Short mmCIF file of all heavy atoms in Angstrom, two decimals:
data_model
loop_
_atom_site.label_atom_id
_atom_site.label_comp_id
_atom_site.label_asym_id
_atom_site.label_seq_id
_atom_site.Cartn_x
_atom_site.Cartn_y
_atom_site.Cartn_z
N THR A 1 -7.23 19.68 6.04
CA THR A 1 -7.45 18.53 5.16
C THR A 1 -7.97 17.30 5.89
O THR A 1 -8.16 16.25 5.28
CB THR A 1 -6.15 18.15 4.43
OG1 THR A 1 -5.17 17.74 5.38
CG2 THR A 1 -5.61 19.32 3.62
N PHE A 2 -8.16 17.43 7.22
CA PHE A 2 -8.63 16.30 8.03
C PHE A 2 -7.63 15.15 8.00
O PHE A 2 -8.02 13.98 8.08
CB PHE A 2 -10.00 15.80 7.54
CG PHE A 2 -11.16 16.70 7.89
CD1 PHE A 2 -11.11 18.06 7.65
CD2 PHE A 2 -12.32 16.18 8.43
CE1 PHE A 2 -12.19 18.90 7.96
CE2 PHE A 2 -13.41 17.00 8.75
CZ PHE A 2 -13.33 18.36 8.51
N THR A 3 -6.34 15.46 7.88
CA THR A 3 -5.32 14.44 7.72
C THR A 3 -4.20 14.64 8.73
O THR A 3 -3.47 15.63 8.66
CB THR A 3 -4.71 14.51 6.30
OG1 THR A 3 -5.76 14.39 5.33
CG2 THR A 3 -3.71 13.38 6.09
N PRO A 4 -4.04 13.73 9.70
CA PRO A 4 -2.92 13.84 10.66
C PRO A 4 -1.60 13.70 9.93
O PRO A 4 -1.28 12.63 9.39
CB PRO A 4 -3.17 12.69 11.64
CG PRO A 4 -4.05 11.74 10.91
CD PRO A 4 -4.88 12.55 9.97
N TYR A 5 -0.84 14.76 9.91
CA TYR A 5 0.35 14.87 9.06
C TYR A 5 1.39 13.79 9.33
O TYR A 5 1.89 13.16 8.40
CB TYR A 5 0.95 16.26 9.25
CG TYR A 5 2.30 16.45 8.61
CD1 TYR A 5 2.41 16.68 7.24
CD2 TYR A 5 3.47 16.43 9.36
CE1 TYR A 5 3.65 16.87 6.64
CE2 TYR A 5 4.71 16.61 8.78
CZ TYR A 5 4.79 16.84 7.41
OH TYR A 5 6.02 17.03 6.84
N ASP A 6 1.74 13.57 10.59
CA ASP A 6 2.80 12.61 10.89
C ASP A 6 2.41 11.19 10.50
O ASP A 6 3.24 10.41 10.01
CB ASP A 6 3.18 12.68 12.36
CG ASP A 6 3.82 14.01 12.72
OD1 ASP A 6 5.03 14.16 12.50
OD2 ASP A 6 3.11 14.90 13.20
N CYS A 7 1.16 10.84 10.73
CA CYS A 7 0.66 9.51 10.34
C CYS A 7 0.72 9.35 8.82
O CYS A 7 1.19 8.34 8.30
CB CYS A 7 -0.76 9.29 10.83
SG CYS A 7 -0.96 9.39 12.62
N TRP A 8 0.19 10.36 8.13
CA TRP A 8 0.18 10.28 6.67
C TRP A 8 1.59 10.26 6.11
O TRP A 8 1.89 9.49 5.18
CB TRP A 8 -0.59 11.48 6.09
CG TRP A 8 -0.49 11.51 4.60
CD1 TRP A 8 -1.29 10.85 3.71
CD2 TRP A 8 0.51 12.19 3.83
NE1 TRP A 8 -0.85 11.09 2.44
CE2 TRP A 8 0.25 11.90 2.48
CE3 TRP A 8 1.59 13.01 4.16
CZ2 TRP A 8 1.04 12.41 1.45
CZ3 TRP A 8 2.38 13.52 3.14
CH2 TRP A 8 2.09 13.22 1.80
N ARG A 9 2.49 11.09 6.64
CA ARG A 9 3.86 11.14 6.12
C ARG A 9 4.54 9.79 6.25
O ARG A 9 5.25 9.35 5.33
CB ARG A 9 4.67 12.20 6.88
CG ARG A 9 6.09 12.39 6.34
CD ARG A 9 6.88 13.37 7.19
NE ARG A 9 7.07 12.84 8.54
CZ ARG A 9 7.68 13.50 9.52
NH1 ARG A 9 8.11 14.74 9.30
NH2 ARG A 9 7.82 12.96 10.71
N ARG A 10 4.32 9.09 7.37
CA ARG A 10 4.93 7.78 7.57
C ARG A 10 4.45 6.77 6.54
O ARG A 10 5.26 6.09 5.90
CB ARG A 10 4.63 7.28 8.99
CG ARG A 10 5.06 5.86 9.27
CD ARG A 10 6.56 5.69 9.14
NE ARG A 10 6.95 4.34 9.53
CZ ARG A 10 8.14 3.81 9.28
NH1 ARG A 10 9.06 4.54 8.66
NH2 ARG A 10 8.42 2.58 9.66
N SER A 11 3.14 6.67 6.36
CA SER A 11 2.60 5.69 5.41
C SER A 11 2.98 6.05 3.98
O SER A 11 3.25 5.16 3.16
CB SER A 11 1.08 5.58 5.55
OG SER A 11 0.45 6.80 5.22
N HIS A 12 3.04 7.34 3.69
CA HIS A 12 3.39 7.77 2.33
C HIS A 12 4.87 7.52 2.04
O HIS A 12 5.23 7.18 0.91
CB HIS A 12 3.06 9.25 2.14
CG HIS A 12 3.09 9.68 0.71
ND1 HIS A 12 2.20 9.22 -0.24
CD2 HIS A 12 3.92 10.53 0.04
CE1 HIS A 12 2.47 9.76 -1.41
NE2 HIS A 12 3.52 10.57 -1.26
N THR A 13 5.71 7.66 3.04
CA THR A 13 7.13 7.35 2.86
C THR A 13 7.31 5.87 2.53
O THR A 13 8.11 5.50 1.65
CB THR A 13 7.91 7.69 4.14
OG1 THR A 13 7.82 9.10 4.38
CG2 THR A 13 9.39 7.32 4.00
N LEU A 14 6.56 5.01 3.21
CA LEU A 14 6.63 3.58 2.93
C LEU A 14 6.11 3.28 1.53
O LEU A 14 6.64 2.40 0.84
CB LEU A 14 5.81 2.81 3.97
CG LEU A 14 6.35 2.84 5.41
CD1 LEU A 14 5.36 2.19 6.36
CD2 LEU A 14 7.71 2.16 5.48
N HIS A 15 5.10 4.01 1.11
CA HIS A 15 4.58 3.85 -0.26
C HIS A 15 5.66 4.16 -1.28
O HIS A 15 5.87 3.39 -2.23
CB HIS A 15 3.37 4.76 -0.46
CG HIS A 15 3.05 5.03 -1.90
ND1 HIS A 15 2.56 4.08 -2.75
CD2 HIS A 15 3.16 6.18 -2.63
CE1 HIS A 15 2.39 4.60 -3.95
NE2 HIS A 15 2.74 5.87 -3.91
N HIS A 16 6.37 5.25 -1.10
CA HIS A 16 7.43 5.61 -2.05
C HIS A 16 8.57 4.60 -2.04
O HIS A 16 9.17 4.31 -3.07
CB HIS A 16 7.98 7.01 -1.72
CG HIS A 16 7.28 8.10 -2.46
ND1 HIS A 16 7.79 8.70 -3.58
CD2 HIS A 16 6.08 8.70 -2.23
CE1 HIS A 16 6.95 9.62 -4.01
NE2 HIS A 16 5.90 9.65 -3.20
N ALA A 17 8.86 4.07 -0.87
CA ALA A 17 9.99 3.14 -0.74
C ALA A 17 9.69 1.77 -1.34
O ALA A 17 10.63 1.01 -1.63
CB ALA A 17 10.37 2.98 0.73
N SER A 18 8.40 1.45 -1.53
CA SER A 18 8.07 0.09 -1.98
C SER A 18 7.14 0.06 -3.18
O SER A 18 6.63 -1.01 -3.53
CB SER A 18 7.42 -0.68 -0.83
OG SER A 18 6.21 -0.05 -0.41
N THR A 19 6.91 1.19 -3.83
CA THR A 19 5.98 1.20 -4.95
C THR A 19 6.43 0.21 -6.03
O THR A 19 7.61 0.13 -6.37
CB THR A 19 5.87 2.62 -5.55
OG1 THR A 19 4.83 2.63 -6.52
CG2 THR A 19 7.16 3.08 -6.20
N GLY A 20 5.49 -0.57 -6.53
CA GLY A 20 5.80 -1.55 -7.56
C GLY A 20 6.39 -2.84 -7.05
O GLY A 20 6.70 -3.73 -7.86
N ASN A 21 6.54 -3.00 -5.74
CA ASN A 21 7.10 -4.21 -5.15
C ASN A 21 5.96 -5.11 -4.68
O ASN A 21 5.28 -4.80 -3.71
CB ASN A 21 8.02 -3.85 -3.98
CG ASN A 21 8.81 -5.03 -3.46
OD1 ASN A 21 8.37 -6.17 -3.56
ND2 ASN A 21 9.99 -4.76 -2.92
N LEU A 22 5.77 -6.22 -5.36
CA LEU A 22 4.66 -7.12 -5.03
C LEU A 22 4.78 -7.72 -3.65
O LEU A 22 3.78 -8.14 -3.06
CB LEU A 22 4.57 -8.24 -6.08
CG LEU A 22 3.92 -7.87 -7.41
CD1 LEU A 22 4.09 -9.01 -8.41
CD2 LEU A 22 2.44 -7.54 -7.24
N ASP A 23 5.99 -7.78 -3.12
CA ASP A 23 6.19 -8.37 -1.80
C ASP A 23 6.18 -7.34 -0.68
O ASP A 23 6.43 -7.68 0.48
CB ASP A 23 7.52 -9.15 -1.77
CG ASP A 23 7.50 -10.33 -2.73
OD1 ASP A 23 6.49 -11.07 -2.72
OD2 ASP A 23 8.46 -10.50 -3.50
N SER A 24 5.91 -6.08 -1.02
CA SER A 24 5.87 -5.02 0.01
C SER A 24 4.63 -4.15 -0.16
O SER A 24 4.69 -2.93 -0.01
CB SER A 24 7.14 -4.16 -0.07
OG SER A 24 8.29 -4.92 0.23
N ARG A 25 3.53 -4.77 -0.48
CA ARG A 25 2.28 -4.03 -0.62
C ARG A 25 1.65 -3.77 0.74
O ARG A 25 1.97 -4.44 1.71
CB ARG A 25 1.29 -4.84 -1.47
CG ARG A 25 1.59 -4.86 -2.96
CD ARG A 25 0.76 -5.93 -3.67
NE ARG A 25 1.27 -7.27 -3.41
CZ ARG A 25 0.63 -8.39 -3.72
NH1 ARG A 25 -0.57 -8.33 -4.26
NH2 ARG A 25 1.17 -9.57 -3.46
N GLY A 26 0.76 -2.79 0.79
CA GLY A 26 -0.02 -2.59 2.00
C GLY A 26 0.28 -1.34 2.79
O GLY A 26 -0.39 -1.06 3.78
N SER A 27 1.27 -0.56 2.37
CA SER A 27 1.59 0.69 3.09
C SER A 27 1.28 1.88 2.21
O SER A 27 2.01 2.18 1.27
CB SER A 27 3.07 0.71 3.49
OG SER A 27 3.36 -0.34 4.39
N GLY A 28 0.16 2.56 2.50
CA GLY A 28 -0.21 3.75 1.75
C GLY A 28 -0.61 3.46 0.32
O GLY A 28 -0.53 4.35 -0.54
N ASP A 29 -1.03 2.23 0.03
CA ASP A 29 -1.39 1.84 -1.32
C ASP A 29 -2.87 1.52 -1.42
O ASP A 29 -3.55 1.30 -0.42
CB ASP A 29 -0.61 0.58 -1.76
CG ASP A 29 0.88 0.81 -1.80
OD1 ASP A 29 1.29 1.89 -2.23
OD2 ASP A 29 1.62 -0.11 -1.41
N VAL A 30 -3.36 1.45 -2.67
CA VAL A 30 -4.65 0.83 -2.95
C VAL A 30 -4.41 -0.67 -2.91
O VAL A 30 -3.52 -1.18 -3.59
CB VAL A 30 -5.18 1.26 -4.33
CG1 VAL A 30 -6.44 0.48 -4.69
CG2 VAL A 30 -5.45 2.76 -4.37
N ASP A 31 -5.17 -1.39 -2.10
CA ASP A 31 -4.97 -2.84 -2.00
C ASP A 31 -5.19 -3.50 -3.35
O ASP A 31 -6.19 -3.23 -4.03
CB ASP A 31 -5.93 -3.45 -0.97
CG ASP A 31 -5.58 -3.05 0.45
OD1 ASP A 31 -4.45 -2.58 0.67
OD2 ASP A 31 -6.43 -3.22 1.35
N MET A 32 -4.25 -4.37 -3.74
CA MET A 32 -4.33 -5.04 -5.03
C MET A 32 -3.84 -6.47 -4.88
O MET A 32 -2.81 -6.72 -4.23
CB MET A 32 -3.47 -4.31 -6.07
CG MET A 32 -3.53 -4.91 -7.47
SD MET A 32 -2.14 -4.40 -8.47
CE MET A 32 -0.79 -5.33 -7.71
N LEU A 33 -4.56 -7.41 -5.47
CA LEU A 33 -4.19 -8.82 -5.45
C LEU A 33 -3.76 -9.27 -6.84
O LEU A 33 -4.18 -8.69 -7.85
CB LEU A 33 -5.36 -9.68 -4.99
CG LEU A 33 -5.90 -9.46 -3.57
CD1 LEU A 33 -7.08 -10.39 -3.33
CD2 LEU A 33 -4.81 -9.68 -2.53
N THR A 34 -2.94 -10.31 -6.88
CA THR A 34 -2.64 -10.94 -8.16
C THR A 34 -3.77 -11.91 -8.49
O THR A 34 -4.61 -12.23 -7.64
CB THR A 34 -1.31 -11.71 -8.10
OG1 THR A 34 -1.47 -12.84 -7.21
CG2 THR A 34 -0.18 -10.83 -7.58
N VAL A 35 -3.79 -12.37 -9.73
CA VAL A 35 -4.82 -13.33 -10.14
C VAL A 35 -4.74 -14.59 -9.28
O VAL A 35 -5.77 -15.11 -8.81
CB VAL A 35 -4.65 -13.69 -11.63
CG1 VAL A 35 -5.61 -14.81 -12.02
CG2 VAL A 35 -4.90 -12.46 -12.51
N ARG A 36 -3.54 -15.09 -9.03
CA ARG A 36 -3.39 -16.30 -8.22
C ARG A 36 -3.85 -16.07 -6.79
O ARG A 36 -4.50 -16.95 -6.20
CB ARG A 36 -1.93 -16.75 -8.24
CG ARG A 36 -1.42 -17.21 -9.60
CD ARG A 36 -0.02 -17.79 -9.51
NE ARG A 36 0.50 -18.10 -10.83
CZ ARG A 36 1.24 -17.28 -11.56
NH1 ARG A 36 1.54 -16.07 -11.09
NH2 ARG A 36 1.69 -17.64 -12.75
N GLU A 37 -3.52 -14.93 -6.23
CA GLU A 37 -3.95 -14.63 -4.86
C GLU A 37 -5.47 -14.55 -4.76
O GLU A 37 -6.06 -15.04 -3.79
CB GLU A 37 -3.31 -13.33 -4.38
CG GLU A 37 -1.81 -13.42 -4.16
CD GLU A 37 -1.16 -12.06 -3.98
OE1 GLU A 37 -1.79 -11.04 -4.36
OE2 GLU A 37 -0.01 -12.01 -3.49
N PHE A 38 -6.09 -13.95 -5.75
CA PHE A 38 -7.54 -13.83 -5.76
C PHE A 38 -8.19 -15.20 -5.82
O PHE A 38 -9.16 -15.47 -5.10
CB PHE A 38 -7.99 -12.97 -6.95
CG PHE A 38 -9.47 -12.82 -7.07
CD1 PHE A 38 -10.18 -12.02 -6.19
CD2 PHE A 38 -10.16 -13.49 -8.08
CE1 PHE A 38 -11.56 -11.88 -6.32
CE2 PHE A 38 -11.54 -13.35 -8.20
CZ PHE A 38 -12.23 -12.55 -7.32
N ARG A 39 -7.66 -16.08 -6.66
CA ARG A 39 -8.23 -17.42 -6.79
C ARG A 39 -8.07 -18.25 -5.52
O ARG A 39 -8.87 -19.17 -5.28
CB ARG A 39 -7.57 -18.15 -7.96
CG ARG A 39 -8.01 -17.62 -9.33
CD ARG A 39 -7.23 -18.28 -10.44
NE ARG A 39 -7.75 -17.88 -11.75
CZ ARG A 39 -7.13 -18.14 -12.91
NH1 ARG A 39 -5.98 -18.81 -12.90
NH2 ARG A 39 -7.66 -17.74 -14.05
N SER A 40 -7.08 -17.93 -4.72
CA SER A 40 -6.84 -18.70 -3.51
C SER A 40 -7.76 -18.28 -2.36
O SER A 40 -7.82 -18.95 -1.33
CB SER A 40 -5.38 -18.56 -3.06
OG SER A 40 -5.13 -17.24 -2.58
N LEU A 41 -8.49 -17.18 -2.53
CA LEU A 41 -9.39 -16.70 -1.48
C LEU A 41 -10.63 -17.58 -1.38
O LEU A 41 -11.03 -18.25 -2.34
CB LEU A 41 -9.81 -15.26 -1.76
CG LEU A 41 -8.75 -14.16 -1.71
CD1 LEU A 41 -9.37 -12.83 -2.12
CD2 LEU A 41 -8.12 -14.06 -0.34
N SER A 42 -11.27 -17.51 -0.24
CA SER A 42 -12.58 -18.14 -0.07
C SER A 42 -13.61 -17.39 -0.90
O SER A 42 -13.35 -16.27 -1.38
CB SER A 42 -12.99 -18.12 1.39
OG SER A 42 -13.19 -16.77 1.83
#
């Protein structure tokens, strides 16, 4: 699958542990911003 298992398992475990948590985004997720965060960008 062209996927290093231990690396993927670690990031996927973090995804399961924090799914739906706006303050714990960024581990094994699709990057998503809130409307306010987007407006604050350059």
